[in-house]
Amino acid sequence: MKTAVFVVGPDRPGIIAAVTRSLFEQGCNLEDVSQTVLQGQFVGIFVVAVPAGAAGEALGRALRERLDPLGLSVHLREVAAGAPPPAAAERYVITTVGPDRPGLVAGISGLLAEFGANITNLKAIARGRREGTEYVTYYEVDLPGAADGSAFRSALRARAAELGLDVNIQHREIFEQVHRV
């Protein structure tokens, strides 16, 4: 059985060590981790294989005993086994940059949804002070293989222009080659 463990709370040194120690002590095997810090808040997702017979309640209790004193919230959710493999897709990295205002991510993500593109990673950072703040957004996207890539890129550029954003679209393989240098 696999379980996703969600941990949220004020960032401080030692959170990863505390979470992974608890998971290890419960006999869990850590499979996937995604973690970030947003405005001083630690946000982590840990997908673990839980040993047969181990109760989710005991795992949750062990984690809470260790993490509550650190001011961290914990939520567990069973991960369904046998998820279908991802469909064939073209992978893109999309970066948008422009003046911050409400609706930027909604505008771009809405267009991505129209093309059936799945956002697999999203990061957004506001840089600067209130006035003149620049908003930088990085999307990793899987576009279904059957989608029209040319129409997708044209529509994305048009939407970015409507939102007052500069946009950069790169196929993921090209993005990775460029960033290896």
Side-chain angles (χ1 to χ4, degrees):
M1 175 176 82
K2 292 184 183 181
T3 298
V5 178
F6 303 85
V7 179
V8 178
D11 188 38
R12 60 183 290 171
I15 293 174
I16 297 287
V19 173
T20 55
R21 175 177 285 269
S22 285
L23 294 171
F24 172 71
E25 290 172 353
Q26 295 300 310
C28 298
N29 185 36
L30 189 60
E31 292 192 356
D32 293 324
V33 177
S34 181
Q35 176 267 320
T36 192
V37 175
L38 299 172
Q39 299 196 8
Q41 295 296 304
F42 174 94
V43 181
I45 305 170
F46 306 78
V47 177
V48 296
V50 180
E57 217 171 276
L59 176 59
R61 187 174 38 255
L63 284 163
R64 287 181 187 92
E65 285 175 7
R66 179 152 290 147
L67 302 179
D68 281 354
L70 300 176
L72 299 167
S73 299
V74 177
H75 175 74
L76 278 65
R77 181 179 181 128
E78 188 174 331
V79 176
E90 294 290 324
R91 297 176 176 229
Y92 290 91
V93 175
I94 300 165
T95 307
T96 62
V97 179
D100 188 20
R101 67 180 177 89
L104 298 178
V105 174
I108 295 297
S109 63
L111 180 90
L112 298 175
E114 291 172 20
F115 278 85
N118 186 33
I119 300 170
T120 59
N121 192 11
L122 169 64
K123 293 182 181 179
I125 301 168
R127 293 185 177 155
R129 301 190 187 269
R130 268 297 183 220
E131 286 189 33
T133 297
E134 186 175 72
Y135 201 70
V136 180
T137 311
Y138 168 91
Y139 303 82
E140 290 182 17
V141 172
D142 288 348
L143 182 67
D148 181 342
S150 179
F152 171 69
R153 286 187 289 278
S154 293
L156 185 58
R157 286 187 184 101
R159 179 66 57 88
E162 291 170 13
L163 296 169
L165 298 171
D166 292 330
V167 64
N168 183 20
I169 310 162
Q170 286 186 303
H171 196 277
R172 184 166 175 93
E173 291 175 9
I174 294 169
F175 179 84
E176 289 174 353
Q177 290 293 327
V178 167
H179 289 86
R180 282 190 189 144
V181 177

PDB file of all heavy atoms in Angstrom, residues 93-98 108 111-112 137 139 152-161 164-170:
ATOM      1  N   VAL A  93       8.268  23.173 -21.343  1.00  0.00           N
ATOM      2  CA  VAL A  93       8.544  24.068 -20.228  1.00  0.00           C
ATOM      3  C   VAL A  93       8.114  25.458 -20.681  1.00  0.00           C
ATOM      4  O   VAL A  93       8.580  25.945 -21.716  1.00  0.00           O
ATOM      5  CB  VAL A  93      10.035  24.057 -19.839  1.00  0.00           C
ATOM      6  CG1 VAL A  93      10.308  25.098 -18.766  1.00  0.00           C
ATOM      7  CG2 VAL A  93      10.448  22.671 -19.377  1.00  0.00           C
ATOM      8  N   ILE A  94       7.225  26.053 -19.931  1.00  0.00           N
ATOM      9  CA  ILE A  94       6.661  27.366 -20.272  1.00  0.00           C
ATOM     10  C   ILE A  94       6.996  28.325 -19.140  1.00  0.00           C
ATOM     11  O   ILE A  94       6.739  28.037 -17.976  1.00  0.00           O
ATOM     12  CB  ILE A  94       5.132  27.270 -20.451  1.00  0.00           C
ATOM     13  CG1 ILE A  94       4.800  26.281 -21.567  1.00  0.00           C
ATOM     14  CG2 ILE A  94       4.532  28.645 -20.713  1.00  0.00           C
ATOM     15  CD1 ILE A  94       3.345  25.850 -21.588  1.00  0.00           C
ATOM     16  N   THR A  95       7.558  29.461 -19.509  1.00  0.00           N
ATOM     17  CA  THR A  95       7.866  30.491 -18.526  1.00  0.00           C
ATOM     18  C   THR A  95       7.133  31.768 -18.933  1.00  0.00           C
ATOM     19  O   THR A  95       7.202  32.162 -20.098  1.00  0.00           O
ATOM     20  CB  THR A  95       9.382  30.760 -18.460  1.00  0.00           C
ATOM     21  OG1 THR A  95      10.062  29.530 -18.256  1.00  0.00           O
ATOM     22  CG2 THR A  95       9.721  31.722 -17.342  1.00  0.00           C
ATOM     23  N   THR A  96       6.450  32.379 -17.982  1.00  0.00           N
ATOM     24  CA  THR A  96       5.814  33.669 -18.241  1.00  0.00           C
ATOM     25  C   THR A  96       6.387  34.686 -17.268  1.00  0.00           C
ATOM     26  O   THR A  96       6.679  34.367 -16.125  1.00  0.00           O
ATOM     27  CB  THR A  96       4.278  33.612 -18.092  1.00  0.00           C
ATOM     28  OG1 THR A  96       3.948  33.275 -16.754  1.00  0.00           O
ATOM     29  CG2 THR A  96       3.667  32.604 -19.047  1.00  0.00           C
ATOM     30  N   VAL A  97       6.527  35.920 -17.756  1.00  0.00           N
ATOM     31  CA  VAL A  97       7.057  37.007 -16.929  1.00  0.00           C
ATOM     32  C   VAL A  97       6.263  38.266 -17.251  1.00  0.00           C
ATOM     33  O   VAL A  97       6.033  38.568 -18.426  1.00  0.00           O
ATOM     34  CB  VAL A  97       8.552  37.259 -17.228  1.00  0.00           C
ATOM     35  CG1 VAL A  97       9.081  38.410 -16.371  1.00  0.00           C
ATOM     36  CG2 VAL A  97       9.373  36.002 -17.019  1.00  0.00           C
ATOM     37  N   GLY A  98       5.864  38.973 -16.208  1.00  0.00           N
ATOM     38  CA  GLY A  98       5.161  40.227 -16.434  1.00  0.00           C
ATOM     39  C   GLY A  98       4.722  40.846 -15.135  1.00  0.00           C
ATOM     40  O   GLY A  98       4.935  40.275 -14.064  1.00  0.00           O
ATOM     41  N   ILE A 108      -3.509  31.488 -17.856  1.00  0.00           N
ATOM     42  CA  ILE A 108      -2.635  30.543 -18.575  1.00  0.00           C
ATOM     43  C   ILE A 108      -3.099  29.110 -18.337  1.00  0.00           C
ATOM     44  O   ILE A 108      -3.210  28.321 -19.283  1.00  0.00           O
ATOM     45  CB  ILE A 108      -1.165  30.723 -18.130  1.00  0.00           C
ATOM     46  CG1 ILE A 108      -0.644  32.112 -18.526  1.00  0.00           C
ATOM     47  CG2 ILE A 108      -0.291  29.622 -18.716  1.00  0.00           C
ATOM     48  CD1 ILE A 108      -0.589  32.393 -20.011  1.00  0.00           C
ATOM     49  N   LEU A 111      -6.084  28.091 -20.442  1.00  0.00           N
ATOM     50  CA  LEU A 111      -5.749  27.763 -21.828  1.00  0.00           C
ATOM     51  C   LEU A 111      -5.122  26.373 -21.913  1.00  0.00           C
ATOM     52  O   LEU A 111      -5.438  25.590 -22.821  1.00  0.00           O
ATOM     53  CB  LEU A 111      -4.782  28.793 -22.421  1.00  0.00           C
ATOM     54  CG  LEU A 111      -4.432  28.444 -23.860  1.00  0.00           C
ATOM     55  CD1 LEU A 111      -5.388  29.086 -24.826  1.00  0.00           C
ATOM     56  CD2 LEU A 111      -3.008  28.757 -24.154  1.00  0.00           C
ATOM     57  N   LEU A 112      -4.244  26.069 -20.971  1.00  0.00           N
ATOM     58  CA  LEU A 112      -3.612  24.744 -20.973  1.00  0.00           C
ATOM     59  C   LEU A 112      -4.683  23.654 -20.861  1.00  0.00           C
ATOM     60  O   LEU A 112      -4.623  22.637 -21.555  1.00  0.00           O
ATOM     61  CB  LEU A 112      -2.606  24.632 -19.826  1.00  0.00           C
ATOM     62  CG  LEU A 112      -1.418  25.609 -19.884  1.00  0.00           C
ATOM     63  CD1 LEU A 112      -0.569  25.479 -18.625  1.00  0.00           C
ATOM     64  CD2 LEU A 112      -0.588  25.405 -21.129  1.00  0.00           C
ATOM     65  N   THR A 137       6.411  32.902 -13.662  1.00  0.00           N
ATOM     66  CA  THR A 137       5.751  31.604 -13.499  1.00  0.00           C
ATOM     67  C   THR A 137       6.404  30.590 -14.421  1.00  0.00           C
ATOM     68  O   THR A 137       6.682  30.875 -15.586  1.00  0.00           O
ATOM     69  CB  THR A 137       4.248  31.701 -13.816  1.00  0.00           C
ATOM     70  OG1 THR A 137       3.701  32.800 -13.113  1.00  0.00           O
ATOM     71  CG2 THR A 137       3.533  30.436 -13.397  1.00  0.00           C
ATOM     72  N   TYR A 139       5.974  26.663 -15.724  1.00  0.00           N
ATOM     73  CA  TYR A 139       5.067  25.523 -15.841  1.00  0.00           C
ATOM     74  C   TYR A 139       5.806  24.386 -16.555  1.00  0.00           C
ATOM     75  O   TYR A 139       6.452  24.621 -17.570  1.00  0.00           O
ATOM     76  CB  TYR A 139       3.862  25.839 -16.728  1.00  0.00           C
ATOM     77  CG  TYR A 139       3.019  27.013 -16.320  1.00  0.00           C
ATOM     78  CD1 TYR A 139       3.374  28.314 -16.658  1.00  0.00           C
ATOM     79  CD2 TYR A 139       1.825  26.816 -15.637  1.00  0.00           C
ATOM     80  CE1 TYR A 139       2.571  29.381 -16.308  1.00  0.00           C
ATOM     81  CE2 TYR A 139       1.016  27.881 -15.294  1.00  0.00           C
ATOM     82  CZ  TYR A 139       1.391  29.165 -15.629  1.00  0.00           C
ATOM     83  OH  TYR A 139       0.598  30.229 -15.293  1.00  0.00           O
ATOM     84  N   PHE A 152      -1.299  25.120 -30.311  1.00  0.00           N
ATOM     85  CA  PHE A 152      -1.082  25.303 -28.872  1.00  0.00           C
ATOM     86  C   PHE A 152      -0.138  26.475 -28.614  1.00  0.00           C
ATOM     87  O   PHE A 152      -0.444  27.376 -27.824  1.00  0.00           O
ATOM     88  CB  PHE A 152      -0.514  24.008 -28.277  1.00  0.00           C
ATOM     89  CG  PHE A 152      -0.054  24.126 -26.861  1.00  0.00           C
ATOM     90  CD1 PHE A 152      -0.953  24.301 -25.827  1.00  0.00           C
ATOM     91  CD2 PHE A 152       1.303  24.053 -26.555  1.00  0.00           C
ATOM     92  CE1 PHE A 152      -0.521  24.406 -24.510  1.00  0.00           C
ATOM     93  CE2 PHE A 152       1.747  24.151 -25.266  1.00  0.00           C
ATOM     94  CZ  PHE A 152       0.831  24.339 -24.236  1.00  0.00           C
ATOM     95  N   ARG A 153       0.996  26.478 -29.295  1.00  0.00           N
ATOM     96  CA  ARG A 153       1.966  27.564 -29.093  1.00  0.00           C
ATOM     97  C   ARG A 153       1.373  28.919 -29.496  1.00  0.00           C
ATOM     98  O   ARG A 153       1.556  29.923 -28.812  1.00  0.00           O
ATOM     99  CB  ARG A 153       3.249  27.270 -29.858  1.00  0.00           C
ATOM    100  CG  ARG A 153       4.095  26.175 -29.205  1.00  0.00           C
ATOM    101  CD  ARG A 153       5.453  26.018 -29.883  1.00  0.00           C
ATOM    102  NE  ARG A 153       5.349  25.429 -31.207  1.00  0.00           N
ATOM    103  CZ  ARG A 153       5.245  24.127 -31.460  1.00  0.00           C
ATOM    104  NH1 ARG A 153       5.253  23.266 -30.470  1.00  0.00           N
ATOM    105  NH2 ARG A 153       5.139  23.687 -32.691  1.00  0.00           N
ATOM    106  N   SER A 154       0.641  28.953 -30.629  1.00  0.00           N
ATOM    107  CA  SER A 154       0.022  30.218 -31.075  1.00  0.00           C
ATOM    108  C   SER A 154      -1.002  30.719 -30.061  1.00  0.00           C
ATOM    109  O   SER A 154      -1.028  31.907 -29.731  1.00  0.00           O
ATOM    110  CB  SER A 154      -0.657  30.019 -32.437  1.00  0.00           C
ATOM    111  OG  SER A 154       0.300  29.769 -33.425  1.00  0.00           O
ATOM    112  N   ALA A 155      -1.841  29.823 -29.591  1.00  0.00           N
ATOM    113  CA  ALA A 155      -2.866  30.211 -28.609  1.00  0.00           C
ATOM    114  C   ALA A 155      -2.226  30.673 -27.304  1.00  0.00           C
ATOM    115  O   ALA A 155      -2.683  31.634 -26.677  1.00  0.00           O
ATOM    116  CB  ALA A 155      -3.821  29.045 -28.360  1.00  0.00           C
ATOM    117  N   LEU A 156      -1.160  30.006 -26.902  1.00  0.00           N
ATOM    118  CA  LEU A 156      -0.478  30.383 -25.663  1.00  0.00           C
ATOM    119  C   LEU A 156       0.154  31.770 -25.783  1.00  0.00           C
ATOM    120  O   LEU A 156       0.044  32.596 -24.867  1.00  0.00           O
ATOM    121  CB  LEU A 156       0.567  29.327 -25.297  1.00  0.00           C
ATOM    122  CG  LEU A 156       1.270  29.513 -23.973  1.00  0.00           C
ATOM    123  CD1 LEU A 156       0.281  29.566 -22.804  1.00  0.00           C
ATOM    124  CD2 LEU A 156       2.275  28.391 -23.757  1.00  0.00           C
ATOM    125  N   ARG A 157       0.774  32.031 -26.908  1.00  0.00           N
ATOM    126  CA  ARG A 157       1.361  33.365 -27.114  1.00  0.00           C
ATOM    127  C   ARG A 157       0.268  34.446 -27.109  1.00  0.00           C
ATOM    128  O   ARG A 157       0.452  35.526 -26.537  1.00  0.00           O
ATOM    129  CB  ARG A 157       2.152  33.394 -28.423  1.00  0.00           C
ATOM    130  CG  ARG A 157       3.465  32.650 -28.320  1.00  0.00           C
ATOM    131  CD  ARG A 157       4.331  32.841 -29.577  1.00  0.00           C
ATOM    132  NE  ARG A 157       5.520  32.038 -29.470  1.00  0.00           N
ATOM    133  CZ  ARG A 157       5.698  30.868 -30.075  1.00  0.00           C
ATOM    134  NH1 ARG A 157       4.782  30.378 -30.876  1.00  0.00           N
ATOM    135  NH2 ARG A 157       6.815  30.182 -29.888  1.00  0.00           N
ATOM    136  N   ALA A 158      -0.866  34.138 -27.760  1.00  0.00           N
ATOM    137  CA  ALA A 158      -1.968  35.114 -27.790  1.00  0.00           C
ATOM    138  C   ALA A 158      -2.512  35.362 -26.382  1.00  0.00           C
ATOM    139  O   ALA A 158      -2.764  36.508 -26.003  1.00  0.00           O
ATOM    140  CB  ALA A 158      -3.079  34.610 -28.718  1.00  0.00           C
ATOM    141  N   ARG A 159      -2.689  34.311 -25.604  1.00  0.00           N
ATOM    142  CA  ARG A 159      -3.217  34.471 -24.243  1.00  0.00           C
ATOM    143  C   ARG A 159      -2.235  35.261 -23.382  1.00  0.00           C
ATOM    144  O   ARG A 159      -2.627  36.138 -22.618  1.00  0.00           O
ATOM    145  CB  ARG A 159      -3.489  33.113 -23.616  1.00  0.00           C
ATOM    146  CG  ARG A 159      -4.014  33.139 -22.186  1.00  0.00           C
ATOM    147  CD  ARG A 159      -5.406  33.757 -22.036  1.00  0.00           C
ATOM    148  NE  ARG A 159      -6.408  33.114 -22.851  1.00  0.00           N
ATOM    149  CZ  ARG A 159      -7.151  32.067 -22.510  1.00  0.00           C
ATOM    150  NH1 ARG A 159      -7.010  31.557 -21.319  1.00  0.00           N
ATOM    151  NH2 ARG A 159      -8.029  31.561 -23.340  1.00  0.00           N
ATOM    152  N   ALA A 160      -0.950  34.951 -23.521  1.00  0.00           N
ATOM    153  CA  ALA A 160       0.061  35.686 -22.753  1.00  0.00           C
ATOM    154  C   ALA A 160       0.028  37.167 -23.112  1.00  0.00           C
ATOM    155  O   ALA A 160       0.095  38.026 -22.221  1.00  0.00           O
ATOM    156  CB  ALA A 160       1.440  35.092 -22.993  1.00  0.00           C
ATOM    157  N   ALA A 161      -0.126  37.473 -24.391  1.00  0.00           N
ATOM    158  CA  ALA A 161      -0.196  38.876 -24.818  1.00  0.00           C
ATOM    159  C   ALA A 161      -1.419  39.557 -24.209  1.00  0.00           C
ATOM    160  O   ALA A 161      -1.331  40.702 -23.750  1.00  0.00           O
ATOM    161  CB  ALA A 161      -0.221  38.963 -26.344  1.00  0.00           C
ATOM    162  N   GLY A 164      -0.631  40.529 -20.803  1.00  0.00           N
ATOM    163  CA  GLY A 164       0.524  41.416 -20.640  1.00  0.00           C
ATOM    164  C   GLY A 164       1.774  40.694 -20.188  1.00  0.00           C
ATOM    165  O   GLY A 164       2.619  41.266 -19.496  1.00  0.00           O
ATOM    166  N   LEU A 165       1.896  39.422 -20.595  1.00  0.00           N
ATOM    167  CA  LEU A 165       3.026  38.598 -20.178  1.00  0.00           C
ATOM    168  C   LEU A 165       3.947  38.293 -21.354  1.00  0.00           C
ATOM    169  O   LEU A 165       3.489  38.093 -22.478  1.00  0.00           O
ATOM    170  CB  LEU A 165       2.528  37.270 -19.603  1.00  0.00           C
ATOM    171  CG  LEU A 165       1.659  37.339 -18.362  1.00  0.00           C
ATOM    172  CD1 LEU A 165       1.068  35.964 -18.058  1.00  0.00           C
ATOM    173  CD2 LEU A 165       2.468  37.849 -17.173  1.00  0.00           C
ATOM    174  N   ASP A 166       5.229  38.227 -21.070  1.00  0.00           N
ATOM    175  CA  ASP A 166       6.171  37.639 -22.016  1.00  0.00           C
ATOM    176  C   ASP A 166       6.142  36.137 -21.762  1.00  0.00           C
ATOM    177  O   ASP A 166       6.058  35.694 -20.611  1.00  0.00           O
ATOM    178  CB  ASP A 166       7.591  38.163 -21.767  1.00  0.00           C
ATOM    179  CG  ASP A 166       7.729  39.637 -22.094  1.00  0.00           C
ATOM    180  OD1 ASP A 166       7.003  40.118 -22.988  1.00  0.00           O
ATOM    181  OD2 ASP A 166       8.550  40.302 -21.444  1.00  0.00           O
ATOM    182  N   VAL A 167       6.196  35.353 -22.823  1.00  0.00           N
ATOM    183  CA  VAL A 167       6.132  33.907 -22.663  1.00  0.00           C
ATOM    184  C   VAL A 167       7.277  33.252 -23.426  1.00  0.00           C
ATOM    185  O   VAL A 167       7.664  33.712 -24.498  1.00  0.00           O
ATOM    186  CB  VAL A 167       4.759  33.338 -23.128  1.00  0.00           C
ATOM    187  CG1 VAL A 167       4.545  33.561 -24.612  1.00  0.00           C
ATOM    188  CG2 VAL A 167       4.627  31.867 -22.768  1.00  0.00           C
ATOM    189  N   ASN A 168       7.819  32.216 -22.838  1.00  0.00           N
ATOM    190  CA  ASN A 168       8.847  31.403 -23.478  1.00  0.00           C
ATOM    191  C   ASN A 168       8.366  29.957 -23.420  1.00  0.00           C
ATOM    192  O   ASN A 168       8.022  29.459 -22.351  1.00  0.00           O
ATOM    193  CB  ASN A 168      10.185  31.567 -22.749  1.00  0.00           C
ATOM    194  CG  ASN A 168      11.298  30.805 -23.425  1.00  0.00           C
ATOM    195  OD1 ASN A 168      11.199  30.449 -24.600  1.00  0.00           O
ATOM    196  ND2 ASN A 168      12.356  30.540 -22.688  1.00  0.00           N
ATOM    197  N   ILE A 169       8.318  29.314 -24.581  1.00  0.00           N
ATOM    198  CA  ILE A 169       7.849  27.934 -24.682  1.00  0.00           C
ATOM    199  C   ILE A 169       8.989  27.098 -25.244  1.00  0.00           C
ATOM    200  O   ILE A 169       9.492  27.393 -26.322  1.00  0.00           O
ATOM    201  CB  ILE A 169       6.638  27.820 -25.632  1.00  0.00           C
ATOM    202  CG1 ILE A 169       5.573  28.841 -25.276  1.00  0.00           C
ATOM    203  CG2 ILE A 169       6.075  26.402 -25.619  1.00  0.00           C
ATOM    204  CD1 ILE A 169       4.581  29.087 -26.394  1.00  0.00           C
ATOM    205  N   GLN A 170       9.391  26.075 -24.519  1.00  0.00           N
ATOM    206  CA  GLN A 170      10.448  25.192 -25.001  1.00  0.00           C
ATOM    207  C   GLN A 170      10.011  23.748 -24.812  1.00  0.00           C
ATOM    208  O   GLN A 170       9.406  23.397 -23.784  1.00  0.00           O
ATOM    209  CB  GLN A 170      11.743  25.389 -24.212  1.00  0.00           C
ATOM    210  CG  GLN A 170      12.481  26.656 -24.549  1.00  0.00           C
ATOM    211  CD  GLN A 170      13.817  26.697 -23.826  1.00  0.00           C
ATOM    212  OE1 GLN A 170      13.852  26.607 -22.611  1.00  0.00           O
ATOM    213  NE2 GLN A 170      14.877  26.831 -24.587  1.00  0.00           N
TER     214      GLN A 170
END
